Amino acid sequence: MENIGIDISSHYSKSVKKFLSRKFDYIVIVCGQAGRACPVFPGIARKIHWSISDPAQIEGTQEARLEAFHSARDELTHRLEILRGKIKFEKILGPSEKTVPLFSIASRIFP
């Protein structure tokens, strides 16, 4: 992330259990297995599943592994920008369905 000007040196992994008592408007699940093993978050308005390859599972050279992380980061950035646009429209138009596929979001924002 440093190569795009974002310092995450103080960040660390947190257990999902830490967040179970909090309320969220959206939950974004980014791994195939997480969709099946994701805990229930009471009161969430929308659950979104994005199937993104886990870059930590890539084997090969350091360069290939770094490229996998960059690709995952860039894909998440793109999808989050689309989601941000959807949320802005929702504030104007009202909420949509509880599970929102990315392509549904994109087709509403970019017809």
Side-chain angles (χ1 to χ4, degrees):
M1 297 295 287
E2 183 180 344
N3 65 329
I4 61 166
I6 299 173
D7 179 13
I8 61 170
S9 61
S10 64
H11 293 204
Y12 60 95
S13 296
K14 299 160 203 75
S15 170
V16 72
K17 292 176 184 178
K18 179 177 181 174
F19 301 99
L20 290 177
S21 64
R22 295 176 71 181
K23 295 192 183 225
F24 295 94
D25 293 325
Y26 293 84
I27 298 290
V28 178
I29 301 167
V30 295
C31 296
Q33 290 182 352
R36 291 184 292 275
C38 188
V40 174
F41 285 86
I44 64 164
R46 283 164 199 78
K47 178 178 168 184
I48 302 168
H49 181 258
W50 293 336
S51 188
I52 295 178
S53 298
D54 183 355
Q57 301 300 316
I58 299 298
E59 296 181 10
T61 65
Q62 178 69 14
E63 184 177 292
R65 297 182 77 229
L66 189 57
E67 178 56 35
F69 276 92
H70 288 172
S71 292
R73 176 203 62 209
D74 295 345
E75 180 68 16
L76 283 168
T77 300
H78 176 73
R79 291 182 187 209
L80 287 167
E81 286 296 323
I82 292 171
L83 178 59
R84 186 172 76 171
K86 179 198 181 311
I87 292 168
K88 285 180 181 179
F89 279 135
E90 235 178 43
K91 288 180 179 179
I92 297 168
L93 302 175
S96 59
E97 59 276 351
K98 289 198 179 249
T99 301
V100 186
L102 173 66
F103 298 111
S104 172
I105 295 168
S107 67
R108 291 179 193 168
I109 297 172
F110 307 108

